[in-house]
Amino acid sequence: MSRNTQKFDVHQEITNCIVDAIETAGDFRLPWIRSTGGSFARPVNVASKNPYNGVNVLSLWVSALAAEFPSNVWGTYRQWQDKGCQVRKGEKSSLIVFYKTLQVEDLNEQAGETEAGERMMARASRVFNAAQVEGFEIEAEDLPEEPAFDPIERAEAFVAATGAQIEEGGDRACFIPSLDTIRVPERRRFTGTDTTTAAEGFYSTLAHELVHWSGVEKRLDRDMSRRFGDEAYAIEELVAELGAAFLCADLGLNPEPREDHACYIKNWLAVLKNDKKAIFTAAAKASQAATWLLAWETGPAD
């Protein structure tokens, strides 16, 4: 097989895009932390109205940031046509992945017969943002909100609903598994930035630690050492980082750029470059944690 006809690898392609975005985002700003331009709302599909999940959230956030798309609505070329809209000529699509269940037959050598089974197969799909089409009006609710205090009341209620034991004090944020306790600096010590209010900084920090809190054995039992061995700590930090970003998007908060990201980014990149499916695993675990935590808003999570 020639180099020009090698099979397209959707896992490698999406990983490459995210690695490149992290490497070029700046010292302390990650590609899923919006500074200027680009919608930070959770991406949704124009046809189903359902939000994208897992690695597709990251892939579309990276695309939205790079092109400064003001909308979080996406769709395939055909989906936009079905809505009576037309993708403008020359517009570049963004890559997402979906999984199809295929029926396969495996040979049972001992029995000398084939056995039916199922296998998940990754498939690439290309989507376009609402800003890339003619005939679709970007509504005000699709635009990213400027830092505001309106959603903070929900954030406070959300944190309380989880029932997590949280202590305010000290100089750093952390989750202490032996005490099953989250510690964060007192909220009055948080200061705002050009893009994040002091309150948003406080709640986005709490969101990061709540994702760690969700992963213990009696909750989601997220033991990353089974998959990543010695690199488990770096991946768990990436899961918490992504999970916090997902939570902030759903709660309407702008996450705070944190300088301690620099301590982890080098390790994240090393893992992602060596394992093309690592970002998929991390994003899936982050989505699971965010969904589980948000479920506490309406009652105890299962």
Side-chain angles (χ1 to χ4, degrees), residues 9-57:
D9 189 333
V10 63
H11 294 107
Q12 191 66 64
E13 186 67 20
I14 288 181
T15 295
N16 289 346
C17 289
I18 293 172
V19 166
D20 181 66
I22 293 174
E23 289 183 323
T24 59
D27 290 340
F28 306 126
R29 184 177 63 80
L30 294 169
W32 44 85
I33 295 179
R34 182 173 60 86
S35 57
T36 58
S39 175
F40 183 67
R42 178 82 73 112
V44 298
N45 180 265
V46 67
S48 68
K49 307 299 183 184
N50 293 329
Y52 291 92
N53 288 296
V55 76
N56 289 333
V57 180

mmCIF file of all heavy atoms in Angstrom, residues 9-57:
data_model
loop_
_atom_site.group_PDB
_atom_site.id
_atom_site.type_symbol
_atom_site.label_atom_id
_atom_site.label_comp_id
_atom_site.label_asym_id
_atom_site.label_seq_id
_atom_site.Cartn_x
_atom_site.Cartn_y
_atom_site.Cartn_z
ATOM 1 N N ASP A 9 -7.091 7.372 9.658
ATOM 2 C CA ASP A 9 -7.193 6.980 11.059
ATOM 3 C C ASP A 9 -7.829 8.125 11.838
ATOM 4 O O ASP A 9 -7.173 9.116 12.156
ATOM 5 C CB ASP A 9 -5.806 6.657 11.624
ATOM 6 C CG ASP A 9 -5.854 6.032 13.001
ATOM 7 O OD1 ASP A 9 -6.837 6.294 13.731
ATOM 8 O OD2 ASP A 9 -4.920 5.284 13.359
ATOM 9 N N VAL A 10 -9.127 8.004 12.152
ATOM 10 C CA VAL A 10 -9.845 9.092 12.796
ATOM 11 C C VAL A 10 -9.310 9.363 14.197
ATOM 12 O O VAL A 10 -9.247 10.516 14.640
ATOM 13 C CB VAL A 10 -11.361 8.803 12.829
ATOM 14 C CG1 VAL A 10 -11.676 7.568 13.648
ATOM 15 C CG2 VAL A 10 -12.126 10.022 13.359
ATOM 16 N N HIS A 11 -8.899 8.311 14.919
ATOM 17 C CA HIS A 11 -8.347 8.514 16.258
ATOM 18 C C HIS A 11 -7.072 9.356 16.199
ATOM 19 O O HIS A 11 -6.883 10.301 16.973
ATOM 20 C CB HIS A 11 -8.041 7.170 16.926
ATOM 21 C CG HIS A 11 -9.259 6.344 17.215
ATOM 22 N ND1 HIS A 11 -9.568 5.214 16.495
ATOM 23 C CD2 HIS A 11 -10.233 6.488 18.136
ATOM 24 C CE1 HIS A 11 -10.681 4.690 16.976
ATOM 25 N NE2 HIS A 11 -11.108 5.443 17.966
ATOM 26 N N GLN A 12 -6.187 9.025 15.253
ATOM 27 C CA GLN A 12 -4.929 9.745 15.131
ATOM 28 C C GLN A 12 -5.158 11.184 14.677
ATOM 29 O O GLN A 12 -4.517 12.115 15.167
ATOM 30 C CB GLN A 12 -4.007 9.032 14.142
ATOM 31 C CG GLN A 12 -2.578 9.557 14.147
ATOM 32 C CD GLN A 12 -1.878 9.278 15.457
ATOM 33 O OE1 GLN A 12 -1.665 8.126 15.808
ATOM 34 N NE2 GLN A 12 -1.521 10.325 16.197
ATOM 35 N N GLU A 13 -6.102 11.376 13.760
ATOM 36 C CA GLU A 13 -6.347 12.713 13.219
ATOM 37 C C GLU A 13 -6.890 13.655 14.294
ATOM 38 O O GLU A 13 -6.425 14.791 14.427
ATOM 39 C CB GLU A 13 -7.335 12.626 12.049
ATOM 40 C CG GLU A 13 -7.561 13.940 11.323
ATOM 41 C CD GLU A 13 -6.330 14.428 10.567
ATOM 42 O OE1 GLU A 13 -5.441 13.597 10.284
ATOM 43 O OE2 GLU A 13 -6.256 15.637 10.274
ATOM 44 N N ILE A 14 -7.874 13.190 15.056
ATOM 45 C CA ILE A 14 -8.436 14.042 16.110
ATOM 46 C C ILE A 14 -7.408 14.293 17.196
ATOM 47 O O ILE A 14 -7.277 15.414 17.708
ATOM 48 C CB ILE A 14 -9.714 13.406 16.692
ATOM 49 C CG1 ILE A 14 -10.849 13.506 15.665
ATOM 50 C CG2 ILE A 14 -10.124 14.088 17.998
ATOM 51 C CD1 ILE A 14 -12.171 12.934 16.130
ATOM 52 N N THR A 15 -6.642 13.261 17.567
ATOM 53 C CA THR A 15 -5.582 13.437 18.562
ATOM 54 C C THR A 15 -4.577 14.475 18.095
ATOM 55 O O THR A 15 -4.166 15.356 18.859
ATOM 56 C CB THR A 15 -4.875 12.100 18.849
ATOM 57 O OG1 THR A 15 -5.809 11.201 19.462
ATOM 58 C CG2 THR A 15 -3.694 12.293 19.793
ATOM 59 N N ASN A 16 -4.172 14.401 16.833
ATOM 60 C CA ASN A 16 -3.206 15.367 16.292
ATOM 61 C C ASN A 16 -3.743 16.791 16.381
ATOM 62 O O ASN A 16 -3.002 17.726 16.721
ATOM 63 C CB ASN A 16 -2.881 15.034 14.832
ATOM 64 C CG ASN A 16 -2.044 13.777 14.686
ATOM 65 O OD1 ASN A 16 -1.484 13.276 15.657
ATOM 66 N ND2 ASN A 16 -1.982 13.245 13.481
ATOM 67 N N CYS A 17 -5.021 16.986 16.071
ATOM 68 C CA CYS A 17 -5.618 18.330 16.115
ATOM 69 C C CYS A 17 -5.618 18.879 17.535
ATOM 70 O O CYS A 17 -5.314 20.056 17.758
ATOM 71 C CB CYS A 17 -7.050 18.279 15.582
ATOM 72 S SG CYS A 17 -7.175 17.999 13.794
ATOM 73 N N ILE A 18 -5.949 18.032 18.511
ATOM 74 C CA ILE A 18 -6.022 18.487 19.896
ATOM 75 C C ILE A 18 -4.624 18.739 20.451
ATOM 76 O O ILE A 18 -4.383 19.721 21.158
ATOM 77 C CB ILE A 18 -6.807 17.480 20.751
ATOM 78 C CG1 ILE A 18 -8.279 17.469 20.312
ATOM 79 C CG2 ILE A 18 -6.689 17.801 22.243
ATOM 80 C CD1 ILE A 18 -9.118 16.398 20.941
ATOM 81 N N VAL A 19 -3.671 17.857 20.135
ATOM 82 C CA VAL A 19 -2.282 18.068 20.565
ATOM 83 C C VAL A 19 -1.756 19.379 20.006
ATOM 84 O O VAL A 19 -1.130 20.178 20.722
ATOM 85 C CB VAL A 19 -1.391 16.891 20.133
ATOM 86 C CG1 VAL A 19 0.092 17.254 20.263
ATOM 87 C CG2 VAL A 19 -1.692 15.655 20.969
ATOM 88 N N ASP A 20 -2.014 19.623 18.716
ATOM 89 C CA ASP A 20 -1.543 20.861 18.094
ATOM 90 C C ASP A 20 -2.180 22.081 18.757
ATOM 91 O O ASP A 20 -1.512 23.093 18.992
ATOM 92 C CB ASP A 20 -1.879 20.847 16.597
ATOM 93 C CG ASP A 20 -1.395 22.098 15.885
ATOM 94 O OD1 ASP A 20 -0.166 22.294 15.803
ATOM 95 O OD2 ASP A 20 -2.239 22.881 15.421
ATOM 96 N N ALA A 21 -3.468 21.982 19.095
ATOM 97 C CA ALA A 21 -4.154 23.104 19.740
ATOM 98 C C ALA A 21 -3.575 23.383 21.123
ATOM 99 O O ALA A 21 -3.405 24.533 21.519
ATOM 100 C CB ALA A 21 -5.653 22.815 19.848
ATOM 101 N N ILE A 22 -3.263 22.325 21.874
ATOM 102 C CA ILE A 22 -2.672 22.506 23.204
ATOM 103 C C ILE A 22 -1.294 23.156 23.084
ATOM 104 O O ILE A 22 -0.947 24.066 23.838
ATOM 105 C CB ILE A 22 -2.566 21.158 23.950
ATOM 106 C CG1 ILE A 22 -3.965 20.608 24.276
ATOM 107 C CG2 ILE A 22 -1.768 21.313 25.244
ATOM 108 C CD1 ILE A 22 -3.954 19.221 24.874
ATOM 109 N N GLU A 23 -0.510 22.685 22.124
ATOM 110 C CA GLU A 23 0.857 23.188 21.976
ATOM 111 C C GLU A 23 0.900 24.650 21.549
ATOM 112 O O GLU A 23 1.870 25.358 21.834
ATOM 113 C CB GLU A 23 1.619 22.325 20.968
ATOM 114 C CG GLU A 23 1.950 20.934 21.491
ATOM 115 C CD GLU A 23 2.759 20.126 20.502
ATOM 116 O OE1 GLU A 23 2.502 20.247 19.279
ATOM 117 O OE2 GLU A 23 3.634 19.360 20.926
ATOM 118 N N THR A 24 -0.141 25.117 20.879
ATOM 119 C CA THR A 24 -0.124 26.487 20.356
ATOM 120 C C THR A 24 -1.034 27.436 21.134
ATOM 121 O O THR A 24 -1.154 28.601 20.775
ATOM 122 C CB THR A 24 -0.542 26.507 18.878
ATOM 123 O OG1 THR A 24 -1.864 25.950 18.741
ATOM 124 C CG2 THR A 24 0.428 25.707 18.036
ATOM 125 N N ALA A 25 -1.657 26.940 22.211
ATOM 126 C CA ALA A 25 -2.645 27.758 22.925
ATOM 127 C C ALA A 25 -2.022 28.783 23.846
ATOM 128 O O ALA A 25 -2.688 29.699 24.289
ATOM 129 C CB ALA A 25 -3.594 26.851 23.722
ATOM 130 N N GLY A 26 -0.752 28.630 24.183
ATOM 131 C CA GLY A 26 -0.124 29.563 25.114
ATOM 132 C C GLY A 26 0.267 28.867 26.398
ATOM 133 O O GLY A 26 -0.093 27.720 26.642
ATOM 134 N N ASP A 27 1.001 29.562 27.231
ATOM 135 C CA ASP A 27 1.562 28.944 28.427
ATOM 136 C C ASP A 27 0.508 28.387 29.373
ATOM 137 O O ASP A 27 0.622 27.277 29.855
ATOM 138 C CB ASP A 27 2.424 29.965 29.183
ATOM 139 C CG ASP A 27 3.705 30.289 28.435
ATOM 140 O OD1 ASP A 27 4.095 29.473 27.581
ATOM 141 O OD2 ASP A 27 4.286 31.353 28.698
ATOM 142 N N PHE A 28 -0.527 29.189 29.672
ATOM 143 C CA PHE A 28 -1.472 28.773 30.689
ATOM 144 C C PHE A 28 -2.911 28.720 30.191
ATOM 145 O O PHE A 28 -3.818 28.532 30.976
ATOM 146 C CB PHE A 28 -1.405 29.731 31.900
ATOM 147 C CG PHE A 28 -0.007 29.876 32.448
ATOM 148 C CD1 PHE A 28 0.559 31.128 32.605
ATOM 149 C CD2 PHE A 28 0.733 28.764 32.793
ATOM 150 C CE1 PHE A 28 1.848 31.263 33.105
ATOM 151 C CE2 PHE A 28 2.021 28.888 33.285
ATOM 152 C CZ PHE A 28 2.574 30.142 33.446
ATOM 153 N N ARG A 29 -3.110 28.914 28.890
ATOM 154 C CA ARG A 29 -4.470 28.878 28.361
ATOM 155 C C ARG A 29 -4.629 27.648 27.482
ATOM 156 O O ARG A 29 -3.955 27.496 26.480
ATOM 157 C CB ARG A 29 -4.781 30.146 27.546
ATOM 158 C CG ARG A 29 -6.220 30.199 27.059
ATOM 159 C CD ARG A 29 -6.490 31.502 26.324
ATOM 160 N NE ARG A 29 -5.684 31.632 25.121
ATOM 161 C CZ ARG A 29 -5.972 31.047 23.960
ATOM 162 N NH1 ARG A 29 -7.032 30.270 23.867
ATOM 163 N NH2 ARG A 29 -5.211 31.232 22.910
ATOM 164 N N LEU A 30 -5.533 26.772 27.873
ATOM 165 C CA LEU A 30 -5.789 25.568 27.112
ATOM 166 C C LEU A 30 -6.844 25.835 26.048
ATOM 167 O O LEU A 30 -7.631 26.780 26.171
ATOM 168 C CB LEU A 30 -6.246 24.454 28.057
ATOM 169 C CG LEU A 30 -5.145 24.027 29.042
ATOM 170 C CD1 LEU A 30 -5.698 23.125 30.122
ATOM 171 C CD2 LEU A 30 -4.017 23.319 28.304
ATOM 172 N N PRO A 31 -6.897 25.011 25.001
ATOM 173 C CA PRO A 31 -7.788 25.313 23.881
ATOM 174 C C PRO A 31 -9.266 25.263 24.230
ATOM 175 O O PRO A 31 -10.084 25.750 23.467
ATOM 176 C CB PRO A 31 -7.428 24.238 22.842
ATOM 177 C CG PRO A 31 -6.785 23.155 23.624
ATOM 178 C CD PRO A 31 -6.069 23.839 24.738
ATOM 179 N N TRP A 32 -9.626 24.655 25.379
ATOM 180 C CA TRP A 32 -11.040 24.642 25.755
ATOM 181 C C TRP A 32 -11.360 25.764 26.740
ATOM 182 O O TRP A 32 -12.439 25.825 27.301
ATOM 183 C CB TRP A 32 -11.430 23.298 26.346
ATOM 184 C CG TRP A 32 -10.440 22.750 27.332
ATOM 185 C CD1 TRP A 32 -10.364 23.025 28.657
ATOM 186 C CD2 TRP A 32 -9.393 21.828 27.050
ATOM 187 N NE1 TRP A 32 -9.321 22.341 29.221
ATOM 188 C CE2 TRP A 32 -8.714 21.587 28.270
ATOM 189 C CE3 TRP A 32 -8.961 21.175 25.884
ATOM 190 C CZ2 TRP A 32 -7.612 20.725 28.354
ATOM 191 C CZ3 TRP A 32 -7.877 20.317 25.986
ATOM 192 C CH2 TRP A 32 -7.223 20.100 27.200
ATOM 193 N N ILE A 33 -10.400 26.656 26.993
ATOM 194 C CA ILE A 33 -10.646 27.838 27.811
ATOM 195 C C ILE A 33 -10.691 29.036 26.879
ATOM 196 O O ILE A 33 -9.679 29.407 26.288
ATOM 197 C CB ILE A 33 -9.570 28.032 28.892
ATOM 198 C CG1 ILE A 33 -9.632 26.876 29.895
ATOM 199 C CG2 ILE A 33 -9.747 29.368 29.596
ATOM 200 C CD1 ILE A 33 -8.590 26.954 30.982
ATOM 201 N N ARG A 34 -11.863 29.624 26.723
ATOM 202 C CA ARG A 34 -12.060 30.685 25.737
ATOM 203 C C ARG A 34 -11.533 32.000 26.264
ATOM 204 O O ARG A 34 -11.834 32.410 27.377
ATOM 205 C CB ARG A 34 -13.554 30.824 25.395
ATOM 206 C CG ARG A 34 -13.847 31.864 24.347
ATOM 207 C CD ARG A 34 -15.313 31.804 23.956
ATOM 208 N NE ARG A 34 -16.177 32.044 25.088
ATOM 209 C CZ ARG A 34 -16.543 33.255 25.502
ATOM 210 N NH1 ARG A 34 -16.089 34.331 24.880
ATOM 211 N NH2 ARG A 34 -17.365 33.404 26.513
ATOM 212 N N SER A 35 -10.733 32.674 25.462
ATOM 213 C CA SER A 35 -10.280 34.015 25.832
ATOM 214 C C SER A 35 -10.941 35.048 24.926
ATOM 215 O O SER A 35 -11.562 35.980 25.378
ATOM 216 C CB SER A 35 -8.764 34.116 25.729
ATOM 217 O OG SER A 35 -8.319 33.790 24.425
ATOM 218 N N THR A 36 -10.806 34.875 23.627
ATOM 219 C CA THR A 36 -11.486 35.753 22.676
ATOM 220 C C THR A 36 -12.029 34.904 21.549
ATOM 221 O O THR A 36 -11.347 34.015 21.041
ATOM 222 C CB THR A 36 -10.516 36.788 22.068
ATOM 223 O OG1 THR A 36 -9.440 36.100 21.430
ATOM 224 C CG2 THR A 36 -9.964 37.707 23.137
ATOM 225 N N GLY A 37 -13.275 35.185 21.150
ATOM 226 C CA GLY A 37 -13.859 34.495 20.021
ATOM 227 C C GLY A 37 -14.163 33.043 20.312
ATOM 228 O O GLY A 37 -13.610 32.430 21.206
ATOM 229 N N GLY A 38 -15.068 32.477 19.535
ATOM 230 C CA GLY A 38 -15.405 31.077 19.681
ATOM 231 C C GLY A 38 -16.435 30.850 20.768
ATOM 232 O O GLY A 38 -16.388 31.452 21.826
ATOM 233 N N SER A 39 -17.395 29.966 20.496
ATOM 234 C CA SER A 39 -18.433 29.675 21.469
ATOM 235 C C SER A 39 -17.942 28.643 22.463
ATOM 236 O O SER A 39 -17.368 27.627 22.091
ATOM 237 C CB SER A 39 -19.687 29.144 20.766
ATOM 238 O OG SER A 39 -20.652 28.744 21.717
ATOM 239 N N PHE A 40 -18.178 28.904 23.747
ATOM 240 C CA PHE A 40 -17.785 27.953 24.782
ATOM 241 C C PHE A 40 -18.962 27.097 25.231
ATOM 242 O O PHE A 40 -18.808 26.189 26.027
ATOM 243 C CB PHE A 40 -17.190 28.693 25.986
ATOM 244 C CG PHE A 40 -16.688 27.763 27.061
ATOM 245 C CD1 PHE A 40 -15.595 26.944 26.816
ATOM 246 C CD2 PHE A 40 -17.314 27.693 28.286
ATOM 247 C CE1 PHE A 40 -15.142 26.068 27.792
ATOM 248 C CE2 PHE A 40 -16.870 26.822 29.263
ATOM 249 C CZ PHE A 40 -15.775 26.008 29.017
ATOM 250 N N ALA A 41 -20.169 27.357 24.713
ATOM 251 C CA ALA A 41 -21.311 26.526 25.062
ATOM 252 C C ALA A 41 -21.080 25.110 24.544
ATOM 253 O O ALA A 41 -20.322 24.882 23.601
ATOM 254 C CB ALA A 41 -22.587 27.112 24.466
ATOM 255 N N ARG A 42 -21.732 24.129 25.160
ATOM 256 C CA ARG A 42 -21.586 22.749 24.711
ATOM 257 C C ARG A 42 -22.076 22.631 23.270
ATOM 258 O O ARG A 42 -23.199 23.038 22.962
ATOM 259 C CB ARG A 42 -22.402 21.826 25.623
ATOM 260 C CG ARG A 42 -22.364 20.341 25.237
ATOM 261 C CD ARG A 42 -21.138 19.653 25.748
ATOM 262 N NE ARG A 42 -21.186 19.441 27.180
ATOM 263 C CZ ARG A 42 -21.296 18.238 27.760
ATOM 264 N NH1 ARG A 42 -21.360 17.154 27.019
ATOM 265 N NH2 ARG A 42 -21.301 18.124 29.072
ATOM 266 N N PRO A 43 -21.276 22.086 22.352
ATOM 267 C CA PRO A 43 -21.726 21.941 20.970
ATOM 268 C C PRO A 43 -22.963 21.056 20.862
ATOM 269 O O PRO A 43 -23.060 20.037 21.562
ATOM 270 C CB PRO A 43 -20.521 21.274 20.276
ATOM 271 C CG PRO A 43 -19.352 21.585 21.156
ATOM 272 C CD PRO A 43 -19.898 21.616 22.545
ATOM 273 N N VAL A 44 -23.912 21.458 20.018
ATOM 274 C CA VAL A 44 -25.124 20.669 19.802
ATOM 275 C C VAL A 44 -25.315 20.430 18.311
ATOM 276 O O VAL A 44 -24.838 21.190 17.472
ATOM 277 C CB VAL A 44 -26.373 21.366 20.381
ATOM 278 C CG1 VAL A 44 -26.255 21.542 21.893
ATOM 279 C CG2 VAL A 44 -26.616 22.710 19.718
ATOM 280 N N ASN A 45 -26.043 19.366 17.998
ATOM 281 C CA ASN A 45 -26.307 19.015 16.611
ATOM 282 C C ASN A 45 -27.578 19.689 16.130
ATOM 283 O O ASN A 45 -28.594 19.682 16.830
ATOM 284 C CB ASN A 45 -26.434 17.493 16.466
ATOM 285 C CG ASN A 45 -26.710 17.076 15.038
ATOM 286 O OD1 ASN A 45 -27.855 16.876 14.657
ATOM 287 N ND2 ASN A 45 -25.657 16.955 14.247
ATOM 288 N N VAL A 46 -27.541 20.271 14.937
ATOM 289 C CA VAL A 46 -28.662 21.042 14.431
ATOM 290 C C VAL A 46 -29.885 20.171 14.164
ATOM 291 O O VAL A 46 -31.029 20.641 14.268
ATOM 292 C CB VAL A 46 -28.267 21.805 13.143
ATOM 293 C CG1 VAL A 46 -28.001 20.836 11.983
ATOM 294 C CG2 VAL A 46 -29.324 22.840 12.764
ATOM 295 N N ALA A 47 -29.695 18.898 13.838
ATOM 296 C CA ALA A 47 -30.819 18.025 13.510
ATOM 297 C C ALA A 47 -31.469 17.427 14.759
ATOM 298 O O ALA A 47 -32.676 17.503 14.945
ATOM 299 C CB ALA A 47 -30.366 16.914 12.567
ATOM 300 N N SER A 48 -30.651 16.830 15.628
ATOM 301 C CA SER A 48 -31.188 16.139 16.803
ATOM 302 C C SER A 48 -31.397 17.057 18.005
ATOM 303 O O SER A 48 -32.127 16.705 18.930
ATOM 304 C CB SER A 48 -30.254 15.003 17.204
ATOM 305 O OG SER A 48 -29.027 15.516 17.700
ATOM 306 N N LYS A 49 -30.704 18.211 17.996
ATOM 307 C CA LYS A 49 -30.681 19.144 19.137
ATOM 308 C C LYS A 49 -29.936 18.575 20.337
ATOM 309 O O LYS A 49 -29.896 19.193 21.407
ATOM 310 C CB LYS A 49 -32.107 19.541 19.577
ATOM 311 C CG LYS A 49 -32.981 20.068 18.465
ATOM 312 C CD LYS A 49 -32.406 21.320 17.829
ATOM 313 C CE LYS A 49 -33.341 21.870 16.755
ATOM 314 N NZ LYS A 49 -32.757 23.036 16.052
ATOM 315 N N ASN A 50 -29.342 17.394 20.173
ATOM 316 C CA ASN A 50 -28.611 16.762 21.263
ATOM 317 C C ASN A 50 -27.193 17.318 21.354
ATOM 318 O O ASN A 50 -26.578 17.643 20.335
ATOM 319 C CB ASN A 50 -28.528 15.250 21.066
ATOM 320 C CG ASN A 50 -29.881 14.581 21.193
ATOM 321 O OD1 ASN A 50 -30.741 15.049 21.947
ATOM 322 N ND2 ASN A 50 -30.093 13.495 20.459
ATOM 323 N N PRO A 51 -26.653 17.415 22.564
ATOM 324 C CA PRO A 51 -25.261 17.873 22.700
ATOM 325 C C PRO A 51 -24.287 16.791 22.275
ATOM 326 O O PRO A 51 -24.571 15.589 22.408
ATOM 327 C CB PRO A 51 -25.138 18.171 24.201
ATOM 328 C CG PRO A 51 -26.136 17.268 24.841
ATOM 329 C CD PRO A 51 -27.289 17.164 23.873
ATOM 330 N N TYR A 52 -23.148 17.191 21.747
ATOM 331 C CA TYR A 52 -22.068 16.257 21.474
ATOM 332 C C TYR A 52 -21.407 15.874 22.798
ATOM 333 O O TYR A 52 -21.513 16.598 23.791
ATOM 334 C CB TYR A 52 -21.042 16.878 20.533
ATOM 335 C CG TYR A 52 -21.555 17.079 19.122
ATOM 336 C CD1 TYR A 52 -22.146 18.283 18.740
ATOM 337 C CD2 TYR A 52 -21.441 16.077 18.172
ATOM 338 C CE1 TYR A 52 -22.626 18.477 17.455
ATOM 339 C CE2 TYR A 52 -21.913 16.265 16.869
ATOM 340 C CZ TYR A 52 -22.502 17.465 16.523
ATOM 341 O OH TYR A 52 -22.977 17.653 15.239
ATOM 342 N N ASN A 53 -20.736 14.749 22.819
ATOM 343 C CA ASN A 53 -20.111 14.267 24.045
ATOM 344 C C ASN A 53 -18.662 13.862 23.789
ATOM 345 O O ASN A 53 -18.210 13.772 22.648
ATOM 346 C CB ASN A 53 -20.886 13.061 24.614
ATOM 347 C CG ASN A 53 -22.216 13.459 25.214
ATOM 348 O OD1 ASN A 53 -22.261 14.195 26.200
ATOM 349 N ND2 ASN A 53 -23.297 12.998 24.619
ATOM 350 N N GLY A 54 -17.955 13.606 24.897
ATOM 351 C CA GLY A 54 -16.610 13.063 24.814
ATOM 352 C C GLY A 54 -15.668 13.893 23.988
ATOM 353 O O GLY A 54 -15.658 15.130 24.040
ATOM 354 N N VAL A 55 -14.860 13.207 23.184
ATOM 355 C CA VAL A 55 -13.820 13.887 22.429
ATOM 356 C C VAL A 55 -14.392 14.840 21.382
ATOM 357 O O VAL A 55 -13.731 15.789 20.974
ATOM 358 C CB VAL A 55 -12.894 12.840 21.768
ATOM 359 C CG1 VAL A 55 -13.549 12.216 20.550
ATOM 360 C CG2 VAL A 55 -11.541 13.440 21.409
ATOM 361 N N ASN A 56 -15.641 14.604 20.959
ATOM 362 C CA ASN A 56 -16.231 15.499 19.963
ATOM 363 C C ASN A 56 -16.434 16.908 20.512
ATOM 364 O O ASN A 56 -16.376 17.886 19.757
ATOM 365 C CB ASN A 56 -17.566 14.932 19.473
ATOM 366 C CG ASN A 56 -17.380 13.713 18.603
ATOM 367 O OD1 ASN A 56 -16.355 13.546 17.953
ATOM 368 N ND2 ASN A 56 -18.367 12.835 18.587
ATOM 369 N N VAL A 57 -16.669 17.037 21.822
ATOM 370 C CA VAL A 57 -16.772 18.369 22.423
ATOM 371 C C VAL A 57 -15.447 19.107 22.251
ATOM 372 O O VAL A 57 -15.406 20.261 21.837
ATOM 373 C CB VAL A 57 -17.132 18.269 23.921
ATOM 374 C CG1 VAL A 57 -17.228 19.666 24.533
ATOM 375 C CG2 VAL A 57 -18.447 17.520 24.112
#
